[in-house]
Amino acid sequence: MVQEFLKDLEQVVNVDAGTACLAGVKQVAETFKKHYEDIGFTAKLVDLGDKVGPGLFATNKPEATHYDVMLNAHLDTVFPEGTVAVRPMSIKGDRAYGPGVLDCKAGCMTIFYALKNLPKETLDKLAILVACNPDEETGSVYSHDWLKECAGKSDRALIFEPAREGGELVCARKGSSTYRITFHGVSAHAGNNPERGCDAVFAMVKFITAVKELADWDRGITLNFGAVKGGTVANVVADFAQADLDLRVWNDDDYNEINGKIMQLAKQEWVKGVTQEITELNHHAAMPLSEATQAMASLIEEAGKLEGYDIAWMKAGGASDGNTTASMGVPTLDGLGPVGGGMHCDKEYLEINSIEKHIKVAERFLTLIADRK
C-alpha cells in the first residue's frame, strides 16, 4: 500500500501547485477528482473565483444534506512555477522529498487512501464530505466561506495538515489576527522648526509600547509588531508611520477582550496633531479543546490503540483551516497527516514510515464512528 501511495503521491507532487499556479492547482484537483470517482464517490471541482484554482468536493452520499465527518487538506503549496523542474519528487532512504510532498499533498493522499480502504459496509453507514481547498498557503481567503459552509453541514472535522515532527497530532490551535495601524502627522525641519511638526513615528512608538503591555504569557496572549516603517530622513519630523501587528490567543473570549482594548488604544491621541487608523487585515477564530473535541480526541486515541499506535497531542500556536471549521462550533482535530519536516523550503520531506500509521488511524476512526451510529 505504501508503494502505491508513493506512486500516486509522485503524480501530484510533480505538478507546480503554488497558490498562484492556477493551472497546476486545477490539475492536482482533477487528479484527485478522478481518484474519488474511481472508488465510487461523487466528486466535483468548486469554482472559487478567478484568483485561485478550484476546490475539490467529494462525497460518498451525493444526496446527503448533512455529514458525519468533514475531511480537509489543501491542494496548494508555497512554491512558484518552475520548482518541480529543479527538484521533482525523490526518495532517499526512508524519506520522500519534493515541493509540497508533506504540506499538504501527503495529507490529501492520506484522506483518499483511508477512504479507499474502508469496507463498503462501513462507508454505507456514513455520510462523508471531503473538501480540499486551493489557497490555504495564502490564508484561505477565497475558500474561507466555502469551508465554513462545508463545516456547517458536518458533525465533526478532521484536518490533514502534517503531524508535528515528533509525531504529535494537534488538538487545539490559537486564534490569530493581523492588524495594520497607519499614523498621519505633520512634517517639519527637525533643526529649524521642529515645533511645527507632529511626529508620527513617536506616536507609533507610544502606541506599540501600550499595546505590548496587553500581552499575558500565562494566558497565551501574545502580540508581535513584526513590521514597522515611518519617516524619510533623520532631519525631518515624520509625517507618516505604519505598523503591522500579530495577535495570538487560545480562545475567542480573550480575542474579544484584547481586540477591544487594541481598538480603544487606536482611538487615543498619542502625539498632539497625529491621527491614526487601524484595519484588521484578517482574523482566524481559535480552535479550542472543547469537551466535544476532547471526546473526539479520545476516539482517535482508541483508534490508534486498536491499530497498535500510541497517539500524542500538542497545542499549536499557528492557525490552519481547522480554525475555520472550529469557528462553526464543529469539533475539530488537526495534524492527521503523516510526519515530516522542512516545510516551506527546499528541504521539505515526508517520513515514509509514518504513512501507513496515519492512513490506518483515520480508517479505524471512521470505522468506530460508523459502528457507534
Side-chain angles (χ1 to χ4, degrees):
M1 179 183 65
V2 171
Q3 292 307 311
E4 185 181 353
F5 179 103
L6 290 171
K7 181 180 178 181
D8 286 338
L9 183 62
E10 183 177 23
Q11 184 182 10
V12 292
V13 169
N14 285 347
V15 176
D16 285 316
T19 315
C21 303
L22 307 193
V25 173
K26 182 179 181 181
Q27 183 178 339
V28 173
E30 287 174 336
T31 298
F32 277 105
K33 177 177 180 291
K34 185 176 186 308
H35 281 325
Y36 281 105
E37 290 172 342
D38 287 345
I39 63 170
F41 275 54
T42 297
K44 65 179 180 179
L45 302 188
V46 179
D47 184 358
L48 297 171
D50 60 4
K51 299 293 191 296
V52 292
L56 171 72
F57 173 91
T59 181
N60 63 323
K61 298 285 179 66
E63 73 286 355
T65 57
H66 198 84
Y67 301 88
D68 295 292
V69 62
M70 171 183 174
L71 308 174
N72 163 263
H74 59 90
L75 303 163
D76 62 320
T77 75
V78 299
F79 301 103
E81 194 83 38
T83 303
V84 168
V86 176
R87 50 182 189 89
M89 181 170 154
S90 62
I91 296 176
K92 299 174 184 177
D94 58 2
R95 291 179 174 180
Y97 296 83
V101 68
L102 178 70
D103 183 22
C104 196
K105 303 290 181 62
C108 293
M109 197 62 70
T110 299
I111 294 173
F112 170 67
Y113 266 75
L115 297 176
K116 177 183 179 181
N117 292 341
L118 275 182
K120 182 179 183 303
E121 56 269 24
T122 301
L123 276 174
D124 287 345
K125 296 177 183 177
L126 296 172
I128 297 169
L129 182 162
V130 178
C132 295
N133 52 320
D135 60 341
E136 191 274 345
E137 295 294 5
T138 54
S140 301
V141 173
Y142 298 96
S143 62
H144 179 80
D145 290 344
W146 174 56
L147 293 177
K148 288 180 70 173
E149 178 186 350
C150 291
K153 299 175 182 177
S154 306
D155 291 333
R156 54 185 68 81
L158 296 181
I159 313 299
F160 283 75
E161 287 283 347
R164 305 296 94 175
E165 289 191 28
E168 302 92 348
L169 310 188
V170 178
C171 60
R173 286 185 180 272
K174 280 188 172 182
S176 68
S177 285
T178 304
Y179 305 83
R180 174 161 292 164
I181 308 93
T182 306
F183 299 80
H184 304 280
V186 177
S187 63
H189 194 290
N192 292 333
N193 48 22
E195 72 281 357
R196 296 180 186 177
C198 302
D199 192 342
V201 168
F202 190 29
M204 177 179 70
V205 170
K206 286 186 170 184
F207 174 80
I208 289 174
T209 301
V211 170
K212 291 289 282 187
E213 291 297 319
L214 300 176
D216 188 329
W217 291 92
D218 292 336
R219 293 165 62 189
I221 298 169
T222 61
L223 298 115
N224 181 64
F225 286 90
V228 297
K229 62 182 179 181
T232 52
V233 293
N235 64 346
V236 176
V237 176
D239 65 352
F240 171 84
Q242 182 175 285
D244 288 350
L245 167 65
D246 177 275
L247 166 66
R248 305 274 169 159
V249 294
W250 281 121
N251 60 74
D252 292 338
D253 287 342
D254 285 346
Y255 163 75
N256 292 332
E257 175 192 338
I258 303 302
N259 177 70
K261 290 180 178 179
I262 291 171
M263 292 302 177
Q264 283 299 120
L265 291 172
K267 293 178 182 179
Q268 294 185 26
E269 183 179 72
W270 296 99
V271 170
K272 187 174 177 57
V274 176
T275 61
Q276 59 272 339
E277 59 200 34
I278 185 168
T279 302
E280 188 174 16
L281 301 176
N282 58 64
H283 170 67
H284 292 282
M287 185 186 116
L289 183 58
S290 64
E291 288 186 13
T293 303
Q294 182 63 66
M296 187 162 69
S298 296
L299 199 59
I300 289 279
E301 292 171 17
E302 182 180 343
K305 284 186 172 61
L306 289 170
E307 294 295 335
Y309 303 111
D310 290 326
I311 302 296
W313 300 97
M314 71 168 293
K315 297 180 179 180
S320 80
D321 289 320
N323 295 71
T324 300
T325 59
S327 74
M328 299 299 291
V330 178
T332 300
L333 292 171
D334 202 342
L336 274 293
V339 179
M343 294 185 294
H344 293 196
C345 75
D346 59 1
K347 298 177 178 60
E348 180 177 1
Y349 66 89
L350 162 68
E351 295 281 4
I352 293 173
N353 293 336
S354 73
I355 292 171
E356 184 171 1
K357 170 185 175 180
H358 288 262
I359 293 171
K360 291 294 187 182
V361 170
E363 182 183 346
R364 178 68 72 167
F365 174 77
L366 295 171
T367 300
L368 291 174
I369 293 174
D371 291 344
R372 296 176 189 193
K373 284 193 69 175

